[in-house]
């Protein structure tokens, strides 16, 4: 049986994706820079910045899940060589992109999507909305303090549970029915950050308050915890789409791919109540 290579296997989506594929009986290579061990999968070292790691990782593989590490801004430099490598071997690529990038042909994720579509190799593109999991991961320290300050204004987002992204990716990897298609992945309902904070508060059993702030205040706050200004500006830029309502639509992508509806923010919060409780 040909294997599935999961890049970013130690990531927010990678961890549940490897588990999902192993549970389906697939033969899985779990790739990370440290070749971390995974139950039921073969650990392999892979580094986007080190092409010498590509050939051993692709050995015996006919499908890959490709994700951009969220701590890097070098989207094209990271992903285009992997697409070229996969296409030269006829390996199918399931790419985790970002919801809404098709509206801007200059967006680096969009340029990579275009390159994949033109590569000649089978592909599926997944465009998830903001992850619910950010509340205990990216924004975890703020949530632990009970003070979530973001430049999201009163904009709503149909937050998606990382487990539903993983299940969608697993479906795209294990059938050719969805090849050549792009899917927007969202949760079942759009909520503003004020409503989301109320959901988190109920699950955590303590108050978590949302305060809308300016882009500059947000960037300064991130710099205060050691993040570079350029990264803060990139994140702040994403929130302008939230304020403009671009992250509010609800899609049927998860249901089409997996055959069941996506998890609600309430479900996410109750399943992560102890992490949210701080
Ligand atoms: N968070 C959101 O709300 C959101 C919304 C929409 C789209 N997205 C997109 O989703 C992606 C992030 O997904 P995620 O949160 O599942 O990823 P993630 O948690 O950032 O995980 C990515 C993995 O990549 C690995 N990695 C880092 N640098 C690497 C390198 N040079 N070579 C190989 N592997 C490397 C890391 O593992 P090791 O350190 O173990 O190698 C890490 O576990 C980003 O493209 C982001 O734009 C995120």
């Amino acid at each position: 049986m040909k294997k599935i290579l999961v890049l970013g296997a130690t990531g927010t989506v990678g961890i549940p994706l490897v588990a999902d594929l192993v549970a389906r009986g697939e033969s899985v290579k779990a790739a990370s820079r440290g070749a971390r061990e995974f139950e039921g999968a073969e650990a392999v070292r892979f580094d986007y910045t080190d092409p010498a790691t590509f050939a051993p990782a692709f050995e015996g593989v006919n499908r890959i899940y490709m994700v951009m590490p969220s701590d890097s801004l070098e989207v094209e430099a990271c992903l285009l060589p992997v697409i070229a490598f996969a296409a030269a071997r006829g390996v199918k690529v399931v790419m985790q992109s970002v919801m809404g990038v098709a509206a801007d042909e200059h967006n680096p994720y969009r340029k990579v999507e275009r390159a994949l579509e033109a590569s000649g190799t089978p592909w599926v593109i997944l465009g998830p909305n903001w992850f619910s999991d950010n509340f205990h991961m990216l924004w975890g320290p703020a949530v632990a303090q009970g003070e979530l300050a973001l430049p999201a204004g009163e904009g709503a987002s149909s937050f998606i549970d990382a487990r539903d992204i993983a299940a969608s990716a697993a479906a795209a990897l294990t059938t050719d029915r969805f090849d050549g298609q792009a899917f927007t992945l969202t949760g079942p309902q759009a909520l503003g950050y004020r409503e989301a904070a109320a959901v988190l508060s109920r699950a955590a059993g303590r108050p978590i308050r949302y305060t809308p702030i300016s882009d500059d205040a947000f960037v300064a706050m991130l710099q205060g915890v050691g993040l570079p200004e350029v990264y803060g500006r990139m994140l702040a830029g994403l929130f302008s789409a939230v304020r403009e309502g671009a992250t509010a639509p609800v899609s049927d992508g998860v249901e089409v791919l997996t055959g069941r509806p996506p998890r609600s923010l309430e479900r996410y919060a109750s399943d992560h109540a102890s992490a949210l409780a701080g």
Side-chain angles (χ1 to χ4, degrees), residues 3 22 94 107 178 189 258:
K3 299 173 184 176
V22 168
V94 174
N107 182 294
F178 306 116
Q189 184 191 16
T258 70

Side-chain angles (χ1 to χ4, degrees), residues 17 39 44 70 72 87 97 123 142 171 191 201 209 214 225 247-248 254 258 270:
L17 175 58
E39 181 92 35
V44 61
S70 47
S72 169
S97 184
W123 57 269
L191 296 172
S201 302
R209 198 172 59 162
S214 69
V225 294
T247 59
V254 171
T258 70
S270 71

Side-chain angles (χ1 to χ4, degrees), residues 8-269:
T10 58
T12 315
V13 175
I15 289 172
L17 175 58
V18 170
D20 190 323
L21 292 171
V22 168
R24 291 168 189 247
E26 294 288 342
S27 188
V28 181
K29 292 177 96 171
S32 61
R33 286 171 298 179
R36 198 179 105 183
E37 296 291 333
F38 279 84
E39 181 92 35
E42 182 185 337
V44 61
R45 196 174 97 73
F46 178 89
D47 189 334
Y48 283 106
T49 64
D50 180 4
T53 63
F54 291 15
F58 273 74
E59 183 72 45
V61 163
N62 68 349
R63 294 151 287 166
I64 70 165
Y65 161 77
M66 182 180 78
V67 60
M68 181 62 206
S70 47
D71 57 359
S72 169
L73 299 176
E74 305 297 324
V75 178
E76 290 162 87
C78 264
L79 303 186
L80 292 178
V82 177
I83 291 174
F85 199 89
R89 288 153 187 78
V91 169
K92 171 171 159 176
V93 178
V94 174
M95 173 188 175
Q96 181 177 309
S97 184
V98 179
M99 175 177 172
V101 296
D104 175 10
E105 293 296 335
H106 298 293
N107 182 294
Y109 284 91
R110 182 57 176 162
K111 290 186 191 168
V112 174
E113 289 182 358
R114 287 291 196 198
L116 179 57
E117 290 167 8
S119 68
T121 212
W123 57 269
V124 179
I125 293 170
L126 306 176
N129 203 351
W130 287 93
F131 299 0
S132 302
D133 305 66
N134 291 336
F135 289 116
H136 74 279
M137 299 185 79
L138 192 55
W139 318 129
V143 166
Q145 307 258 318
E147 273 293 344
L148 186 58
L150 298 170
E154 302 303 331
S157 300
S158 49
F159 300 102
I160 179 161
D161 192 304
R163 295 170 295 182
D164 290 323
I165 306 172
S168 300
L173 285 160
T174 53
T175 170
D176 55 12
R177 263 194 309 138
F178 306 116
D179 288 7
Q181 297 181 56
F183 297 87
T184 296
L185 304 180
T186 75
Q189 184 191 16
L191 296 172
Y193 277 84
R194 217 175 284 284
E195 294 165 285
V199 170
L200 303 177
S201 302
R202 283 195 292 278
R206 62 186 175 81
I208 296 161
R209 198 172 59 162
Y210 166 64
T211 308
I213 56 172
S214 69
D215 284 5
D216 286 345
F218 178 65
V219 173
M221 190 177 76
L222 294 183
Q223 284 183 281
V225 294
L227 289 170
E229 181 179 356
V230 62
Y231 188 77
R233 292 274 164 217
M234 181 279 292
L235 275 181
L238 298 179
F239 278 109
S240 71
V242 177
R243 294 193 299 269
E244 288 159 13
T247 59
V250 169
S251 79
D252 64 357
V254 171
E255 189 147 11
V256 169
L257 285 157
T258 70
R260 52 166 188 70
R263 294 167 176 87
S264 64
L265 191 71
E266 282 83 359
R267 171 73 192 280
Y268 154 80

